Every structure is written in C-alpha cells, then in structure tokens.
C-alpha cells in the first residue's frame, strides 16, 4: 500500500550520519566512546522514529532496524558483549528489504562475534551459517568472519560442518 506521506529522501541523511558516527566513535576508541556512541544512537533513533521505516536511498541504508543493528554493533566493537547481548532481540532483520542482504549478513557477523565472546560457540556457528545463506560473499570475504572462525576452530570438537564453513571462507591454512 503506498504511503500517504511525501518522503524527502534527503531527510534521512542526518539520522544515517548519526548512526554511522557511533561506529566511527567506537572504532576510534574515544575516551568515553560508550557515552558518545549512545548519544549518536539517540540522535539516529529520533530520526528513525520520524522516518518510521527502513529505507535504502541515496547510497545509504537507514531506519529503525538499522538503529537497532547499531545498538548491537557499537558495544560489540567496544568489547562490551554483555551490553550488546541485551539488544540482540531488538533487531528484526526480516523487516529489512531484500536488497539489504549484505547489511543483514554484516549484522549477523556481529551477532556471531557477540555469541563467541560470551562462549556460546554453537549459536555463533549457527548465526554465521544464517549470515552465509543471506549473503555468501559478504560472509566469506569479511575479515570479521575470519576472526570468529579462528575462535570457533580453537574451541571445536572436530566438527566437519565448521571446517566446511571455514574452507568456504578460506579460514583454514
């Protein structure tokens, strides 16, 4: 059903910018990165609520689901996996348009990182398989997949399924 609201694509840019800045803050390990990231996410959340839907316009992805994804990604990046795990159920990737398969897979890689850090290797492996089904190339060639797989391989109990995935991702010597 078409929306009755006229949408100005440019109006999503401030929110998209705020959500991306929280990852930049986390990646730069600012002195109070957690607080700075939270402030940026609050600004992004306000814009996402006004938008009310997930969009892919002007070369950027933004909306409520993307903000929820960042609420997982930022604490994972900061090593605050307990905080990230508290937001895992807030993300409904099924709301994302199909053309955002890579974004969905990238989020699932972060979820797998979170599970690995919490010692739930089965959930991490299952999540990587889900991500691979969504966007195989994104998973197979992403550097963070290699990190998760290396950790899973250190803890494996000779799982051929894990080794198969590691081979597809070129994570075995």
């Amino acid at each position: 059903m078409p929306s009755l609201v006229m949408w100005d694509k440019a109006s999503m840019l401030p929110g998209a910018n705020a959500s991306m800045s929280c990852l930049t803050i986390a990646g730069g390990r600012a002195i109070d990165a957690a607080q700075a990231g939270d402030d940026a996410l609050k600004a992004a959340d306000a814009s996402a609520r006004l938008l009310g839907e997930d969009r892919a316009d002007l070369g950027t992805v933004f909306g409520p689901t993307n903000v929820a994804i960042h609420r997982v990604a930022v604490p994972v990046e900061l090593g605050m996996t307990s905080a990230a795990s508290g937001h895992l159920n807030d993300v409904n990737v099924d709301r994302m348009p199909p053309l955002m398969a890579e974004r969905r897979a990238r989020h699932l890689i972060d979820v797998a990182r979170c599970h690995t850090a919490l010692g739930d290797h089965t959930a991490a492996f299952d999540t990587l398989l889900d991500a691979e089904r969504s966007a195989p190339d994104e998973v197979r060639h992403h550097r963070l997949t290699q990190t998760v797989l290396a950790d899973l391989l250190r803890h494996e109990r000779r799982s051929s399924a894990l080794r198969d995935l590691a081979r597809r991702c070129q994570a075995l010597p």
Side-chain angles (χ1 to χ4, degrees), residues 140-158:
R140 292 177 186 165
H141 301 291
H142 202 288
R143 66 178 176 78
L144 294 174
T145 301
Q146 304 293 319
T147 304
V148 174
L149 286 170
D151 192 48
L152 292 177
L153 288 165
R154 277 194 298 277
H155 294 95
E156 80 160 322
R157 294 187 188 113
R158 304 305 281 165

Side-chain angles (χ1 to χ4, degrees), residues 11-77:
S11 65
M12 72 181 261
L13 292 176
N17 185 49
S19 65
M20 287 307 298
S21 70
C22 65
L23 286 178
T24 303
I25 291 164
R29 303 293 193 268
I31 292 175
D32 195 358
Q35 183 60 52
D38 190 53
D39 291 346
L41 280 170
K42 285 178 183 173
D45 187 53
S47 291
R49 287 177 191 272
L50 287 173
L51 179 58
E53 65 181 346
D54 297 306
R55 307 262 323 179
D57 295 314
L58 301 173
T60 191
V61 175
F62 185 68
T65 303
N66 202 51
V67 172
I69 285 171
H70 280 87
R71 289 201 186 283
V72 173
V74 171
V76 166
E77 194 62 34

Side-chain angles (χ1 to χ4, degrees), residues 15-16 26 28 39 48 52 54 57 61-62 70 73 80 86 93 103 114 125 132 138-139 148 155 159 161 166 169:
D39 291 346
D54 297 306
D57 295 314
V61 175
F62 185 68
H70 280 87
M80 301 167 58
V93 291
R103 184 71 184 109
C114 185
F125 174 67
E132 185 186 33
E138 177 72 11
V139 173
V148 174
H155 294 95
S159 165
C169 295

Side-chain angles (χ1 to χ4, degrees), residues 80-114:
M80 301 167 58
T81 50
S82 292
S85 69
H87 294 287
L88 294 179
N89 293 328
D90 297 343
V91 180
N92 181 356
V93 291
D94 295 330
R95 288 185 54 199
M96 298 180 82
L99 64 97
M100 295 183 192
E102 288 82 9
R103 184 71 184 109
R104 179 182 192 275
R106 176 60 178 85
H107 165 66
L108 292 173
I109 293 169
D110 279 338
V111 172
R113 292 172 67 199
C114 185

